């Protein structure tokens, strides 16, 4: 079983990701996971959304260069070595992982041109900045954590 991923080719400039997200918002589409990669002047935005057909239609209507492709979406156990195990299975069978990204839509990682200024700008917004210690603690405090 696969899910639909929408890839959008966009200029790497402030506001371009926001324009795509605005199109999704107007179409009633929720982003479940995404990746934004910079290749210099341009970037590739990849999305897994709840309504891929509506998202694709909104993008095409707005003139965006985009494609839909099938991808695997896996739910892994939250334990050390699990990602390694899955990647090992694929590698042993000669299957190359071209790219991958995480899909917890309420926890996002942002690489910015000025991380400290971005942190300060978001300090008054209703978002929480997560520290490395928070990430470590989150794993230890999970109620569904099971030792293997």
């Amino acid at each position: 079983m696969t899910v639909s991923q929408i890839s959008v080719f966009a200029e790497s400039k402030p506001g371009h990701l926001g324009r795509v997200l605005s199109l999704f918002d107007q179409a009633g589409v929720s982003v479940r996971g995404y990746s934004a990669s910079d290749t210099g002047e341009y970037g590739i935005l990849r999305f897994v959304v709840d309504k891929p057909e509506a998202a694709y239609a909104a993008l095409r209507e707005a003139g965006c260069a985009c494609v839909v492709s099938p991808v695997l979406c896996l739910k892994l156990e939250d334990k050390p070595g699990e990602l390694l195990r899955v990647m090992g299975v694929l590698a042993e069978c000669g299957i190359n992982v071209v790219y991958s990204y995480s899909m917890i839509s309420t926890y996002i990682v942002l690489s910015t041109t000025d991380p400290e200024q971005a942190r300060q700008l978001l300090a008054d917004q209703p978002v929480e900045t997560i520290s490395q210690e928070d990430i470590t603690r989150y794993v230890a405090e999970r109620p569904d954590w099971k030792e293997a």
Side-chain angles (χ1 to χ4, degrees):
M1 173 185 337
T2 60
V3 299
S4 295
Q5 173 190 266
I6 300 170
S7 299
V8 184
F9 188 64
E11 283 188 271
S12 184
K13 291 185 176 180
H16 283 247
L17 176 58
R19 283 191 262 295
V20 171
L21 295 172
S22 178
L23 292 170
F24 290 167
D25 184 49
Q26 292 168 18
V29 173
S30 292
V31 174
R32 301 297 188 212
Y34 82 96
S35 168
S37 308
D38 182 20
T39 61
E41 290 184 36
Y42 291 91
I44 300 173
L45 310 173
R46 294 182 172 101
F47 299 94
V48 173
V49 299
D50 63 341
K51 301 174 191 168
E53 297 85 9
Y56 182 73
L59 290 166
R60 295 299 294 169
E61 186 176 314
C64 295
C66 59
V67 296
V68 177
S69 53
V71 294
L72 293 178
C73 182
L74 308 175
K75 181 178 179 183
L76 305 180
E77 286 189 55
D78 189 359
K79 66 181 187 181
E82 189 65 2
L83 182 59
L84 171 63
R85 182 186 67 78
V86 169
M87 295 301 171
V89 168
L90 298 174
E92 286 175 17
C93 296
I95 296 174
N96 185 37
V97 175
V98 178
Y99 60 84
S100 69
Y101 53 94
S102 180
M103 225 185 78
I104 301 175
S105 62
T106 58
Y107 285 77
I108 62 170
V109 176
L110 302 175
S111 175
T112 68
T113 53
D114 190 338
E116 184 54 29
Q117 183 181 11
R119 186 195 63 75
Q120 290 173 7
L121 290 169
L122 294 172
D124 294 332
Q125 298 298 314
V127 297
E128 180 181 353
T129 303
I130 305 299
S131 70
Q132 189 65 51
E133 292 78 22
D134 292 331
I135 291 169
T136 302
R137 188 174 50 254
Y138 170 74
V139 170
E141 294 175 353
R142 284 202 42 189
D144 60 343
W145 173 265
K146 297 175 188 150
E147 284 293 326

